[in-house]
Amino acid sequence: MSASSPAPKLPISLAANPKLSSWVNFTGEGGVAISPGKVEIGQGIVTALAQIAADELDVEISRIEMIRASTATSPNEGVTSGSLSIQQSGRALRHACAEVRQRFLVAASERLGVQVSLLNVDDGTISGPGNVRTSYWELAGDVSLDQDATADAAAKSIAKRSVAGHSVHRVDIPDKVFARPRFIHDCPLPDLLHGRVLRPDISGAKLIALDETAARAVPGLVAIVRDGGFAGVVTDSEAAAEAALKALQKGATWSVGEPLPDQDDLAGFLKSQPVETTLVETRTAAMTRKHAQTLRRQYTRPYMAHASIAPSCAMAQWDGDRVHVWTHSQGVYLLRADLAIVLKLPAENIVVEHMEGAGCYGHNAADDVALDAVLLAKAVGGRSVRVQWSRHDEMSHAPFGAAMAIEIEADLDADNEIVGWRHAIWSNGHAARPGRAAQPALLAATEIANPYPRMISTNPPAANGGGGDRNSVPLYDLPAWTITSHRLLTMPVRTSALRTLGAQGNVFAIESLLDEIAVLRGEDPIAFRLRHLGDERAKDVIRTAARRAAWKPEKQAGIGHGVGFARYKNTGAYCAAIAEIEGADDIRVKRLTLAVDVGEAINPDGVVNQIEGGAIQATSWVLKERVRFDRTHITSTSWTDYPILRFSEVPAVDVEIIQRPEIEPVGAGEAAHGPVTAAIANAVYDCLCVRVRDLPITRDRIIAAAELAS
């Protein structure tokens, strides 16, 4: 007797927010309001979600208005991160819209006296035999959407979708191209004041005395705000805010700070700290082949800044014991939870509303600046206050992506085949986002009169893709492995989420060593990878990238080619990259050829955008980016000290999508970083016969690696 089929379930975000009206509403002007809990941070998600809604509701996409996330009205979908928006919000919207469509068809059937099966929907107009017709908007008063979704609704079959799977223009781009105000930085509220916050240059220093005399003499000053070690100014203009802050800085006395590690021995520092050790995964070989040698290699990546082009910004306004916050945070509900702790207010007294900001690559200072604005606004009697961090603030005080040291030991038999694999990671945690703990994660919360301790960053659980250990388990069919993660319990450099978390470092390490073993065997690195992969989708992206890049061109002096592959989180998008580089001392990436499989690509052009963006950012990470510091303060506080890839250095990027409409879609935002990093590193070896294992791959690192190998 066969087991019965499991009962259908709601998508995870819809199960958490089942009321249909929180996702979909019809407006009286023939419009459709769609309210996802995920936010636009430059990844084009609102366009893909609009496509899904348009398909399931059978309306033109131009009728759809995507509503910004707000704790006042939107479903709570946590944080927009981890390339999960399509998986979570997309699936929820598809199901919700399918159920809404069905409910309206039933209502139309009753009004028109026509069976549901004979009705058709075309751009919101519902028609049937005999030329009878009505519409969503005519029926809106008859159909309440203030009801919970059920698991019974069925989304359209792939064959009946007409919008998803096609490249439609992104709905957010016209404003950005034509410079219409859309970013929080460009949308001032009426009667707005401006704020700046005083912070030390010395890491970990506390404010112990403050002479306010000079600041009080600045024209336009409205208030000086002081709460323990938190201090700031509120003025009637941006210029006055800058002048008042400068005057206040001269009156500040700071304590001795906390020592920072040796930036040139990060591996030594990471391995010397107290840690929490986790066995990520172990596999025992069914048959043990005798190993002849062990390759031991260490890879490092530095602390990295988010380095958004524009710094963080927020606005806040108080009304009695209630506060409204405008922010480009990735998690409005999570920010609200931390604000409630700090302010000791019920969460219901706080509205956090999202507005778009500059490119956001993880947990930057967007949440920190929101609390700054809230604390300053509290002092000015109901007027709104806008706070914008400076580049120096952003590069000094925002969380960084965690540094990593990775050791891999590969046991090889007499034929240099892999018989054992041990992978160990030392790193701070890769997540300290707000709203996930009993204590707030916001910077100013550690500075106020009754301060909270700085939150030591942790790692997300394996079910959410892990953190420092993300992508540390090889997707390759190796006979045995042990994967171990050591999370630091100290955090002299503040760290939190940066795109891919630990995946970039781990993929770089794995793919570099595999490349080295392939070279040792005299085997083509692509053939070597394909021979160790059983997953056909993995093989397809590698083969596709290789075909598109015409792997492998004839060897030329000064030119190198390398390959990298990963499946993001081992559960998300498959991506393979082939890099073509040129150089001797300095490396220039000429071309990146990538193949990606995200299952169903809702907006293929959007997927290409995501992969292109990730590939270019990864190139910048690999060649340029490194947070620098001495023993007392961060020194890379400008674009001069923290260079990123220039437009003139951007490689040609060529992307091919393997479209699989029959497979549920996954996100593409973080799929390219690991493979591109590895591909460039392997291309450097192909070009120079120098294996650089420390990021970024700069001239100094190449020289050091060459000297070590000689």
Side-chain angles (χ1 to χ4, degrees):
M1 183 176 178
S2 61
S4 58
S5 301
K9 293 181 178 179
L10 291 175
I12 183 171
S13 278
L14 190 57
N17 306 274
K19 188 176 290 186
L20 292 168
S21 60
S22 66
W23 298 88
V24 183
N25 281 287
F26 295 98
T27 59
E29 299 77 26
V32 184
I34 298 295
S35 302
K38 301 294 186 182
V39 301
E40 180 64 54
I41 49 177
Q43 80 281 43
I45 187 60
V46 295
T47 305
L49 296 179
Q51 288 180 257
I52 290 171
D55 248 343
E56 292 302 329
L57 292 171
D58 274 322
V59 297
E60 294 293 329
I61 196 169
S62 58
R63 291 188 181 277
I64 292 179
E65 179 187 8
M66 299 301 292
I67 307 299
R68 298 197 309 249
S70 167
T71 59
T73 56
S74 303
N76 182 354
E77 290 197 89
V79 65
T80 303
S81 67
S83 298
L84 289 170
S85 296
I86 282 291
Q87 287 169 254
Q88 295 178 349
S89 205
R91 291 176 190 179
L93 264 175
R94 179 170 278 171
H95 190 103
C97 291
E99 178 151 351
V100 168
R101 181 179 187 275
Q102 185 60 32
R103 285 175 183 254
F104 274 82
L105 283 174
V106 170
S109 171
E110 293 171 355
R111 176 179 286 197
L112 302 175
V114 177
Q115 293 179 24
V116 169
S117 61
L118 299 177
L119 294 173
N120 182 55
V121 186
D122 182 10
D123 194 20
T125 296
I126 304 171
S127 60
N131 203 29
V132 295
R133 64 183 57 224
T134 181
S135 73
Y136 287 141
W137 299 276
E138 289 177 359
L139 293 169
D142 298 344
V143 181
S144 173
L145 297 182
D146 289 329
Q147 300 181 43
D148 288 354
T150 68
D152 300 329
K156 284 182 177 178
S157 65
I158 298 163
K160 292 183 178 178
R161 295 175 192 159
S162 59
V163 187
H166 298 276
S167 294
V168 304
H169 294 302
R170 280 175 50 173
V171 300
D172 59 315
I173 292 298
D175 284 349
K176 296 169 182 174
V177 169
F178 295 109
R180 292 191 285 259
R182 186 178 180 100
F183 296 121
I184 188 171
H185 308 72
D186 303 320
C187 300
L189 298 169
D191 200 24
L192 187 68
L193 297 173
H194 299 269
R196 293 289 188 274
V197 173
L198 178 68
R199 295 210 158 90
D201 282 339
I202 301 172
S203 180
K206 306 295 183 187
L207 184 63
I208 55 178
L210 186 62
D211 181 351
E212 302 175 359
T213 306
R216 290 200 176 280
V218 173
L221 180 79
V222 175
I224 294 177
V225 180
R226 179 83 189 270
D227 181 355
F230 176 87
V233 296
V234 182
T235 65
D236 62 5
S237 71
E238 289 261 30
E242 291 290 339
L245 177 64
K246 194 172 181 179
L248 202 63
Q249 285 170 332
K250 294 178 179 175
T253 303
W254 301 97
S255 70
V256 175
E258 300 168 359
L260 295 173
D262 179 355
Q263 68 167 2
D264 294 321
D265 185 21
L266 286 181
F269 161 72
L270 295 169
K271 291 180 176 179
S272 68
Q273 297 301 295
V275 296
E276 173 191 71
T277 297
T278 304
L279 178 62
V280 179
E281 189 170 303
T282 185
R283 168 188 283 186
T284 304
M287 294 180 60
T288 303
R289 302 201 304 268
K290 187 175 181 180
H291 87 268
Q293 64 167 322
T294 297
L295 301 184
R296 296 183 177 85
R297 301 290 185 261
Q298 176 176 281
Y299 306 85
T300 67
R301 77 161 207 175
Y303 295 99
M304 290 192 294
H306 290 80
S308 301
I309 297 296
S312 296
C313 180
M315 295 181 287
Q317 184 175 27
W318 284 84
D319 180 7
D321 64 349
R322 309 180 75 84
V323 61
H324 195 127
V325 183
W326 293 264
T327 173
H328 55 112
S329 167
Q330 292 173 257
V332 291
Y333 280 94
L334 297 175
L335 173 57
R336 185 181 72 163
D338 264 19
L339 292 176
I341 296 172
V342 178
L343 302 173
K344 297 180 170 51
L345 280 179
E348 294 73 25
N349 286 29
I350 305 168
V351 171
V352 180
E353 182 176 342
H354 185 264
M355 295 180 72
E356 289 183 45
C360 180
Y361 311 120
H363 178 191
N364 61 5
D367 299 282
D368 293 326
V369 75
L371 177 56
D372 290 349
V374 167
L375 294 175
L376 295 184
K378 198 170 184 177
V380 294
R383 293 185 68 180
S384 54
V385 173
R386 175 185 183 275
V387 179
Q388 180 173 300
W389 278 23
S390 66
R391 173 63 48 204
H392 186 280
D393 292 337
E394 195 85 25
M395 292 294 204
S396 301
H397 301 293
F400 297 128
M404 302 176 71
I406 300 162
E407 281 189 0
I408 303 181
E409 295 179 340
D411 297 331
L412 307 181
D413 67 11
D415 297 321
N416 290 324
E417 294 283 9
I418 301 168
V419 298
W421 185 270
R422 292 173 294 283
H423 181 131
I425 309 135
W426 288 263
S427 174
N428 271 113
H430 288 245
R433 288 186 182 277
R436 292 175 170 173
Q439 71 174 80
L442 305 172
L443 179 58
T446 67
E447 301 169 330
I448 56 178
N450 295 306
Y452 293 87
R454 176 190 283 187
M455 181 184 291
I456 302 295
S457 56
T458 59
N459 284 322
N464 294 341
D469 56 325
R470 181 166 292 183
N471 274 103
S472 58
V473 178
L475 205 64
Y476 298 96
D477 295 329
L478 308 183
W481 59 51
T482 300
I483 316 295
T484 311
S485 176
H486 307 283
R487 179 180 72 88
L488 269 65
L489 300 177
T490 62
M491 195 175 70
V493 178
R494 187 183 181 207
T495 67
S496 190
L498 178 67
R499 288 179 98 178
T500 82
L501 306 189
Q504 189 227 5
N506 288 315
V507 173
F508 163 58
I510 293 169
E511 292 289 302
S512 291
L513 187 51
L514 287 179
D515 205 74
E516 189 171 341
I517 295 170
V519 171
L520 188 64
R521 285 179 47 77
E523 186 173 358
D524 177 83
I526 286 183
F528 181 79
R529 283 167 173 77
L530 293 174
R531 190 164 60 80
H532 286 84
L533 282 167
D535 186 326
E536 291 301 324
R537 293 175 69 187
K539 291 182 177 180
D540 278 353
V541 291
I542 294 175
R543 290 180 181 130
T544 301
R547 172 186 51 76
R548 201 169 177 98
W551 180 269
K552 182 177 183 183
E554 188 175 340
K555 186 71 178 175
Q556 301 178 54
I559 302 291
H561 296 85
V563 61
F565 158 77
R567 183 183 189 187
Y568 186 52
K569 301 182 193 174
N570 285 5
T571 57
Y574 294 82
C575 184
I578 291 176
E580 178 182 335
I581 65 105
E582 65 179 355
D585 297 330
D586 292 316
I587 299 302
R588 175 179 172 83
V589 179
K590 294 179 62 180
R591 176 175 294 276
L592 295 169
T593 305
L594 298 102
V596 60
D597 173 358
V598 296
E600 179 190 13
I602 301 296
N603 185 337
D605 188 55
V607 172
V608 170
N609 292 165
Q610 288 278 66
I611 296 298
E612 288 174 337
I616 293 168
Q617 185 176 42
T619 304
S620 183
W621 287 0
V622 174
L623 299 183
K624 302 268 186 177
E625 298 192 34
R626 176 191 181 193
V627 172
R628 294 180 179 274
F629 42 87
D630 58 24
R631 290 309 183 97
T632 58
H633 63 290
I634 304 296
T635 57
S636 51
T637 58
S638 70
W639 293 127
T640 302
D641 305 316
Y642 190 93
I644 59 175
L645 205 67
R646 296 174 182 269
F647 284 109
S648 60
E649 298 170 314
V650 170
V653 182
D654 183 23
V655 181
E656 180 165 331
I657 297 173
I658 299 176
Q659 180 68 279
R660 299 187 189 276
E662 74 283 3
I663 296 177
E664 288 276 12
V666 295
E670 296 169 333
H673 293 72
V676 166
T677 299
I680 294 173
N682 292 333
V684 169
Y685 177 80
D686 186 55
C687 179
L688 303 176
C689 291
V690 175
R691 189 69 69 177
V692 183
R693 302 187 180 92
D694 300 298
L695 298 175
I697 302 177
T698 60
R699 177 183 301 193
D700 289 347
R701 289 279 167 75
I702 293 171
I703 294 171
E707 290 177 347
L708 189 65
S710 62

